Amino acid sequence: MAHVALHIPLLSLTSTHSFSTFFLSTFAAFAAFETASGDNVFSASHTPTAPVAAARDLRYLLYDVNPPEGFNLRRDVYIRMASLVKTLRKNGDDWVLVLPPWGRLYHWQSPNIHQIRIPWGEFFSLTSLQANVPVIEYEEFIAENGGPFIDQVLILQNYAEGWTDGKWEEKVDERPCIEKLMYSKDKQGYYRGWFWGYEETRARKVTCISAQGHASIMAPVLQKNITVTSVMLDRAETLLHDHYAGKDYWDTRRSMVFAKHLRLIGDDFRAKHLNSTDDRDNTGYSEDWTRMKAKLGSAKGGPYLGVHLRRKDFIWGHREDVPTLKGAVKKMQQLMKKHKLNKVFVATDADDEELKELKKLLPDMVRFEPSPEDLELFKDGGVAIIDQWICAHARVFIGTSVSTFSFRIHEEREILGFDPKTTYNRFCGDSEKECEQPTHWKIVY
Ligand SMILES: Nc1nc2c(ncn2[C@@H]2O[C@H](COP(=O)(O)OP(=O)(O)OP(=O)(O)O)[C@@H](O)[C@H]2O)c(=O)[nH]1
Ligand SMILES: *[C@@H]1O[C@H](CO)[C@@H](O)[C@H](O)[C@H]1NC(C)=O
Ligand SMILES: *[C@@H]1O[C@H](CO)[C@@H](O)[C@H](O)[C@H]1NC(C)=O
């Protein structure tokens, strides 16, 4: 049986030093959250004679996502996994979600900076995540687990035969692996693999599971079929949202508060270059997301147009829903005129050549351009967050068609309380006929 360690992240005395100091800075709201499950304050290993009948086994859920997926889709997969962990915790054991370190992302190409094994704490507020569902960083898992061992990896895949009879149904079955295994056995019989750049990590067992359905269809499998302590779901994006844009979705999304140092840099930039402050713009923010409930339409936003202009792979495919630079600039100028804004903030992944052209077409545009030192500090992920934060505070925003980067900005603006008319806008392709605008997803509190 697993060690019955009764995981109480907040009060755990067995945690490492860094973890405890981290928790010293927790909010009161968070403490309240954890006392709800505070009946398990002692560890079986310390008090062998204590009654442990009511104890729940401590178990760890780890996950990873298909390597080519970007930062913002990965943020979406986190929501699905958090939902699964909530289901698991409702039904039995004391599951903890282990945060997959960031790194080796296709888009994070800034040269000469080290961009693997990045903990979530560099991008998000861990205390905020914790107030939604118990999470720990991977290094914390190694420490608690007694080493870089994962008991079992389940590689999620579709069904080899596709949908039978063209009918879609929820199902999950152990099946032979369809794709070539990304794990290989070492001399000791352990499985080695990418494991977020932690080369020393080993898995004891790797199997494939065909799954079709919502994240929580994995719950019975994890509870009944598998009894080991730590389980990793690879290709976790295979699972769908339990309930997209429902209360649980929004709870988790709201808990994904950006790390404070990144928000501060964004706020500083707004004040200095865009004459934008929370006081004047009605965008007051509570670090404790559980208290954040801005009324729809209450946020005014800073006196600038916010733009997310996704380029690179979005233009290589010659998609008809993505504009030329000329087309995009024309639209920006129209919006500025319409809303009487004389500043425009542009977040973009455009390459140097396109940037030059953009600057020629729109000489007054404002961009967040980190110094090499800042880039090294924040990394590509942090800079993307700062860009998103500044776009989220604009009086009016326009993004790029079906970009998850733009979608995350929509959600951030929804949390801040913007009128949907100022948020759910996207560029149209120059010759796109029906240019459907993004859907408004209202927060369920
Ligand atoms: N700083 C910054 N980075 C951007 C911007 N747009 C795209 N990127 C970078 O390009 C990556 C790809 O965009 P993502 O949206 O995260 O990738 P994705 O999750 O595959 O989503 P799509 O946009 O739908 O492709 C981002 O993670 C950023 O690293 C931008 O406006 N500013
Ligand atoms: C789980 O166990 C049940 C009952 O033994 C079995 O029918 C089912 O196929 C198993 N599912 C998986 C995914 O292993
Ligand atoms: C900044 O905004 C305030 C109020 O919205 C305005 O009074 C002030 O003139 C602006 N400052 C600049 C430098 O534009």
Side-chain angles (χ1 to χ4, degrees):
M1 193 178 67
H3 59 134
V4 190
L6 316 159
H7 192 83
I8 310 286
L10 240 192
L11 310 173
S12 175
L13 303 171
T14 55
S15 285
T16 61
H17 174 70
S18 64
F19 201 52
S20 328
T21 32
F22 153 60
F23 274 116
L24 288 177
S25 60
T26 344
F27 310 116
F30 178 37
F33 160 77
E34 267 301 336
T35 42
S37 58
D39 44 329
N40 302 324
V41 260
F42 36 79
S43 151
S45 56
H46 294 159
T47 53
T49 54
V52 290
R56 306 197 301 165
D57 281 348
L58 171 61
R59 299 185 68 189
Y60 299 97
L61 183 72
L62 302 95
Y63 74 95
D64 201 2
V65 175
N66 195 20
E69 301 297 351
F71 186 46
N72 290 292
L73 182 93
R74 284 165 191 268
R75 287 172 61 187
D76 187 74
V77 175
Y78 170 79
I79 297 180
R80 306 177 210 181
M81 292 301 106
S83 186
L84 170 57
V85 167
K86 285 181 194 177
T87 303
L88 288 166
R89 292 178 61 80
K90 249 181 245 155
N91 299 348
D93 289 334
D94 193 1
W95 286 85
V96 176
L97 185 58
V98 181
L99 301 165
W102 298 99
R104 208 175 67 169
L105 261 57
Y106 163 76
H107 292 97
W108 292 357
Q109 293 171 344
S110 290
N112 313 323
I113 57 171
H114 189 71
Q115 305 209 55
I116 56 166
R117 286 182 249 140
I118 305 171
W120 277 58
E122 289 204 22
F123 297 145
F124 299 96
S125 150
L126 282 198
T127 43
S128 303
L129 297 176
Q130 279 280 4
N132 174 57
V133 75
V135 296
I136 55 173
E137 300 273 19
Y138 184 63
E139 296 208 357
E140 199 53 43
F141 164 76
I142 296 176
E144 287 191 14
N145 189 53
F149 293 93
I150 298 171
D151 292 326
Q152 187 165 358
V153 174
L154 303 179
I155 303 169
L156 303 181
Q157 58 186 13
N158 296 320
Y159 280 80
E161 67 271 27
W163 304 359
T164 37
D165 317 323
K167 205 175 89 227
W168 195 86
E169 56 179 343
E170 294 222 304
K171 52 185 179 175
V172 46
D173 295 283
E174 182 162 359
R175 287 292 175 91
C177 300
I178 300 170
E179 284 177 25
K180 189 177 164 289
L181 216 55
M182 301 293 280
Y183 298 85
S184 57
K185 249 186 182 170
D186 67 13
K187 283 199 209 93
Q188 287 79 36
Y190 291 116
Y191 287 88
R192 302 298 187 116
W194 162 242
F195 294 122
W196 318 280
Y198 284 84
E199 284 146 25
E200 67 284 10
T201 295
R202 280 151 281 183
R204 295 195 167 92
K205 192 174 169 191
V206 176
T207 54
C208 287
I209 297 246
S210 288
Q212 183 171 287
H214 302 96
S216 288
I217 60 163
M218 287 307 294
V221 179
L222 296 172
Q223 281 158 337
K224 298 198 184 104
N225 299 58
I226 293 170
T227 51
V228 293
T229 303
S230 53
V231 186
M232 168 176 166
L233 301 182
D234 198 354
R235 302 295 302 266
E237 78 284 355
T238 308
L239 299 168
L240 308 173
H241 282 285
D242 277 337
H243 184 186
Y244 187 77
K247 172 168 164 47
D248 171 56
Y249 173 97
W250 274 111
D251 279 353
T252 302
R253 178 58 185 85
R254 288 160 62 223
S255 76
M256 299 177 80
V257 170
F258 292 136
K260 188 167 186 175
H261 67 285
L262 299 175
R263 283 184 281 126
L264 287 179
I265 298 285
D267 289 343
D268 236 37
F269 188 91
R270 286 166 53 213
K272 260 202 203 105
H273 302 281
L274 298 162
N275 196 15
S276 166
T277 63
D278 287 348
D279 274 354
R280 271 202 302 266
D281 305 343
N282 291 339
T283 48
Y285 191 74
S286 169
E287 166 116 18
D288 175 1
W289 62 271
T290 62
R291 289 160 200 256
M292 188 70 195
K293 195 174 173 183
K295 219 175 122 229
L296 210 66
S298 63
K300 188 167 161 232
Y304 58 98
L305 173 69
V307 171
H308 175 233
L309 190 59
R310 184 77 160 75
R311 305 309 279 174
K312 296 232 167 93
D313 40 314
F314 273 44
I315 50 170
W316 300 336
H318 298 286
R319 281 168 42 168
E320 76 141 9
D321 58 342
V322 177
T324 60
L325 286 184
K326 259 204 187 110
V329 168
K330 197 172 137 205
K331 179 72 189 179
M332 292 182 222
Q333 285 164 340
Q334 281 169 4
L335 283 171
M336 287 164 74
K337 201 163 162 204
K338 180 174 169 196
H339 297 279
K340 301 192 175 64
L341 300 169
N342 51 29
K343 285 210 166 99
V344 52
F345 174 82
V346 179
T348 183
D349 61 338
D351 61 23
D352 290 343
E353 201 172 309
E354 276 212 316
L355 265 184
K356 249 189 14 236
E357 193 187 335
L358 190 60
K359 271 183 197 151
K360 227 194 274 161
L361 293 167
L362 198 65
D364 294 335
M365 73 168 171
V366 180
R367 291 201 320 125
F368 177 74
E369 293 173 286
S371 65
E373 295 77 32
D374 282 352
L375 182 59
E376 199 175 331
L377 203 60
F378 309 141
K379 310 199 172 58
D380 284 321
V383 173
I385 285 173
I386 294 166
D387 266 349
Q388 289 182 320
W389 186 248
I390 299 169
C391 282
H393 287 78
R395 181 105 10 116
V396 178
F397 172 73
I398 183 164
T400 303
S401 179
V402 294
S403 158
T404 51
F405 190 108
S406 293
F407 291 158
R408 300 293 88 84
I409 295 171
H410 296 166
E411 293 157 355
E412 211 62 41
R413 291 176 64 85
E414 194 70 18
I415 292 167
L416 288 168
F418 278 94
D419 181 331
K421 284 201 288 291
T422 70
T423 294
Y424 297 89
N425 309 300
R426 72 153 172 104
F427 289 109
C428 304
D430 288 14
S431 52
E432 190 180 0
K433 296 225 170 52
E434 273 169 54
C435 178
E436 202 185 321
Q437 293 298 299
T439 312
H440 175 203
W441 296 102
K442 228 173 147 177
I443 300 184
V444 183
Y445 287 99

